[in-house]
Amino acid sequence: MPRQKKNKQAWEIGLQGSVSAGRRGWSVSEHNGRTRLRLQFPKTGDWPANAQTNLPFPWDQRSQNEILLLINRIYDPVMSGEKTLQQAIGDELALSDNKADKVITPWSGIVEAFRDNRLTLGNRIKPETYEASYGRYLQVALLHLQGRKPAGTGKELIERVLTHERFNQKSGVKQGEKLKPWIEMSASRQECCLALKLFLEFAVSEHRQPQALLIPEKDYLQLRGAGVKRRQKAVLTDDEVMELTRQLSEPWANVVKVARVFGVRTWEFEFILRRTNEEGNPQLWVRKGKTYNKSGGVKEGTEPRWLHAIPVNGQTFDLVEKWDELELPPTISGKSLGAKLRLLPYWKELQAKYAAQGEWLRPYSFRDTFSVRSHDLEIETTLVCAAMGHSMEVHRRSYRTHEAKTVRKAYERAN
């Protein structure tokens, strides 16, 4: 008997019961993340030979229908002795010699394999990044790759996914509310097209899917649409920062002070320590650098770094001296900080003010403000990058270095 897994989920119990019902000796179980089919019959009587094999399906709730469908089709040929277990499965999945060019892996299995590739090989991204950049699009794509009228080409699939009718799934007053299709959302449209393009290339190269699913470059460029112009990020004045700290509760006011004075990312709070620098003075230190992907999926990280202060109206709030006693929230992220800020009418006023100027105010703006104030002090760009913990390329591409008034004043001085 195969070892039984403890604490089975309801779907596992249901699947195993469905396989065994009316099929004496037939059972399925999990084996290294795959589905294992086992045939074990009495030693006496007119029974087929015992056998076991892995089916080409992940042991996953989404594979239940495909598993049962395959077993329904092979049961009679195997029990009648017409075919061995392997022959029946091979014929059904088009694996025999004369059908080797046919599809052999169900789409749900290809999606699981692609997810594993992204997480463990490929770019080795985090699960939450996969869900945001791939998972939500592939969930819809599966609806159009299976069923009675599946998409026949890659272009058709992307068109269907981009125009798929969507509704708000989150619980709350807006649940069930109709959402814009991705084709009407420039950034999501481009992300969806890239995700499906990469997925279909993987399906064709690794799982023998037909070449018609590959996207010609001309069609891909047409489907993804025009590029999205990068939004100008807002830079807060010192008075605005001070007013925010007055209106927030102390733990979150301290978060804003640290984010603005030292230009740190919200996730870095967990790794900040107070240490003694080489000159014998106390200074804050971020002990963990940011991890990023290089070409070929190689992961690298920036170096740990010392933090340097840019005062707010001449104040650094004694953050270094008070660090070990500083009251901070138990968990800090851009999402949680944003939720606290959006509760303030003053924050909404600031958002409206900067939106009218064509600028985007968000929690990360404290870091961009640090960048601009550093450049206002004419600190060399390489040193600003070192203080912020990123490369020159990232700094030029992603961070503001000046305001319009700074440029205007510089030219006024020059003239």
Side-chain angles (χ1 to χ4, degrees), residues 165-401:
E165 197 170 48
R166 302 190 308 124
F167 297 92
N168 192 328
Q169 303 295 322
K170 297 179 180 179
S171 58
V173 294
K174 294 188 177 182
Q175 186 175 28
E177 185 177 286
K178 191 171 183 178
L179 301 174
K180 284 184 180 181
W182 287 314
I183 198 168
E184 296 179 16
M185 304 166 66
S186 297
S188 296
R189 176 176 177 172
Q190 293 198 3
E191 188 176 59
C192 175
C193 288
L194 178 60
L196 294 182
K197 179 177 183 290
L198 295 175
F199 169 70
L200 292 174
E201 288 172 354
F202 176 82
V204 171
S205 64
E206 302 295 329
H207 292 273
R208 298 186 185 177
Q209 289 292 342
Q211 294 283 321
L213 290 173
L214 295 176
I215 315 293
E217 188 66 15
K218 181 180 178 181
D219 290 339
Y220 173 71
L221 293 176
Q222 182 181 25
L223 288 165
R224 72 192 294 267
V228 182
K229 184 179 178 180
R230 187 182 293 275
R231 289 189 284 180
Q232 180 83 303
K233 290 176 283 186
V235 174
L236 291 158
T237 68
D238 284 4
D239 288 343
E240 289 168 345
V241 173
M242 294 296 291
E243 183 59 30
L244 286 170
T245 63
R246 281 192 287 268
Q247 294 196 21
L248 286 165
S249 62
E250 183 177 356
W252 289 102
N254 288 334
V255 171
V256 169
K257 291 174 183 177
V258 175
R260 163 59 185 83
V261 170
F262 296 107
V264 297
R265 308 171 180 95
T266 49
W267 64 264
E268 290 179 322
F269 276 77
E270 181 182 353
F271 305 101
I272 298 176
L273 304 171
R274 184 174 64 188
R275 294 178 55 181
T276 301
N277 61 28
E278 64 276 12
E279 296 178 355
N281 298 318
Q283 188 173 351
L284 296 187
W285 167 264
V286 182
R287 62 182 175 84
K288 179 179 172 62
K290 181 179 179 180
T291 302
Y292 60 95
N293 291 315
K294 295 189 70 176
S295 60
V298 177
K299 283 191 177 291
E300 289 197 4
T302 58
E303 295 295 323
R305 71 187 191 280
W306 292 105
L307 296 181
H308 301 270
I310 296 291
V312 182
N313 278 345
Q315 298 186 56
T316 60
F317 310 103
D318 296 325
L319 292 171
V320 175
E321 293 76 11
K322 297 178 180 178
W323 181 256
D324 291 335
E325 296 78 37
L326 197 67
E327 185 180 354
L328 294 169
T331 57
I332 302 170
S333 67
K335 185 176 181 179
S336 60
L337 176 57
K340 291 296 179 183
L341 290 168
R342 285 191 294 273
L343 294 175
L344 302 178
Y346 182 61
W347 178 257
K348 294 178 181 178
E349 291 174 16
L350 291 176
Q351 285 184 312
K353 167 194 168 181
Y354 285 106
Q357 298 174 190
E359 297 181 359
W360 176 32
L361 178 61
R362 58 174 186 157
Y364 213 77
S365 293
F366 298 115
R367 186 163 158 84
D368 277 281
T369 302
F370 176 91
S371 171
V372 170
R373 299 292 170 250
S374 298
H375 286 280
D376 286 347
L377 295 173
E378 299 183 355
I379 299 172
E380 186 182 336
T381 301
T382 55
L383 301 180
V384 177
C385 294
M388 297 184 71
H390 55 228
S391 67
M392 286 277 286
E393 179 186 358
V394 169
H395 194 72
R396 285 193 296 265
R397 183 177 69 242
S398 302
Y399 289 90
R400 287 194 66 174
T401 58

Side-chain angles (χ1 to χ4, degrees), residues 14-63:
L15 173 61
Q16 291 175 325
S18 297
V19 170
S20 300
R23 302 186 186 91
R24 184 178 179 183
W26 288 60
S27 64
V28 290
S29 60
E30 185 271 340
H31 180 71
N32 294 331
R34 312 297 296 176
T35 302
R36 186 78 166 170
L37 174 60
R38 184 184 180 93
L39 275 55
Q40 191 169 22
F41 304 108
K43 294 181 179 180
T44 58
D46 190 16
W47 296 94
N50 291 344
Q52 56 182 325
T53 188
N54 284 339
L55 300 180
F57 308 111
W59 185 253
D60 186 278
Q61 186 174 4
R62 291 167 290 186
S63 301

